[in-house]
Amino acid sequence: MKKSSSLIGGGVFALIGLVMTAVSWNFYKSDKAFMNKSLSAMGNVVRWDYVRSTRGETTFYPVIAFETAEGQKIEFRNGVGTTRRNGSYQEGERVKIRYETQNPANAKIAGFWELWGLTVILGGFGLVFIGAGLKIALS
């Protein structure tokens, strides 16, 4: 009986890991497509926007202003926030960004975690779950 429950439990863990890895792969493809159709530019952190959750927690997002290669002035709120105002960036700081040529408002700070963080985290957890599931199932 113990072997059967280990097999089922391990299979569930491995299945969760496979789903996480598949989602991570989709994020990777999306991130790679963004990189292929985007250009680099320099921008300035002009302010911090904050969003308060229903639980009362506040997340701060840097707002970046930049100019496209065509001279268009764009301002965007970065998609990755922090629980501390002025977390990774300071107001007035110059940052490297990437923006889509067809839709310059779709832009991101060109940092590793901003571009690839979700892909890496989901992929890493997916592999851990697959490994744990196989270990449980085969023990």
Side-chain angles (χ1 to χ4, degrees), residues 98-117:
R98 294 203 58 98
Y99 68 94
E100 282 187 3
T101 54
Q102 298 299 317
N103 180 16
N106 185 17
K108 300 176 183 182
I109 293 176
F112 177 80
W113 289 109
E114 286 86 354
L115 294 172
W116 304 103

Side-chain angles (χ1 to χ4, degrees), residues 34 37-43 64-78 97-109:
F34 174 80
K37 62 184 175 185
S38 66
L39 295 176
S40 289
M42 292 302 290
I64 315 300
F66 71 98
E67 193 171 310
T68 67
E70 292 78 28
Q72 184 181 5
K73 294 184 187 315
I74 303 287
E75 212 175 82
F76 73 94
R77 183 174 79 182
N78 197 49
I97 61 109
R98 294 203 58 98
Y99 68 94
E100 282 187 3
T101 54
Q102 298 299 317
N103 180 16
N106 185 17
K108 300 176 183 182
I109 293 176

Side-chain angles (χ1 to χ4, degrees), residues 4-128:
S4 175
S5 63
S6 292
L7 194 59
I8 292 170
V12 168
F13 263 80
L15 182 61
I16 291 169
L18 285 171
V19 169
M20 291 172 108
T21 305
V23 171
S24 174
W25 179 251
N26 282 330
F27 278 119
Y28 169 77
K29 290 190 305 185
S30 174
D31 293 341
K32 186 145 177 62
F34 174 80
M35 293 298 287
N36 288 337
K37 62 184 175 185
S38 66
L39 295 176
S40 289
M42 292 302 290
N44 291 310
V45 178
V46 293
R47 70 177 181 279
W48 286 82
D49 281 353
Y50 68 92
V51 176
R52 190 171 306 260
S53 74
T54 56
R55 295 184 298 176
E57 298 167 348
T58 302
T59 303
F60 296 92
Y61 297 89
V63 176
I64 315 300
F66 71 98
E67 193 171 310
T68 67
E70 292 78 28
Q72 184 181 5
K73 294 184 187 315
I74 303 287
E75 212 175 82
F76 73 94
R77 183 174 79 182
N78 197 49
V80 177
T82 180
T83 55
R84 293 186 337 257
R85 188 171 191 281
N86 293 337
S88 301
Y89 306 100
Q90 303 298 316
E91 284 185 32
E93 182 177 348
R94 288 189 52 79
V95 293
K96 187 174 181 180
I97 61 109
R98 294 203 58 98
Y99 68 94
E100 282 187 3
T101 54
Q102 298 299 317
N103 180 16
N106 185 17
K108 300 176 183 182
I109 293 176
F112 177 80
W113 289 109
E114 286 86 354
L115 294 172
W116 304 103
L118 199 52
T119 301
V120 169
I121 290 168
L122 276 174
F125 275 112
L127 292 175
V128 167

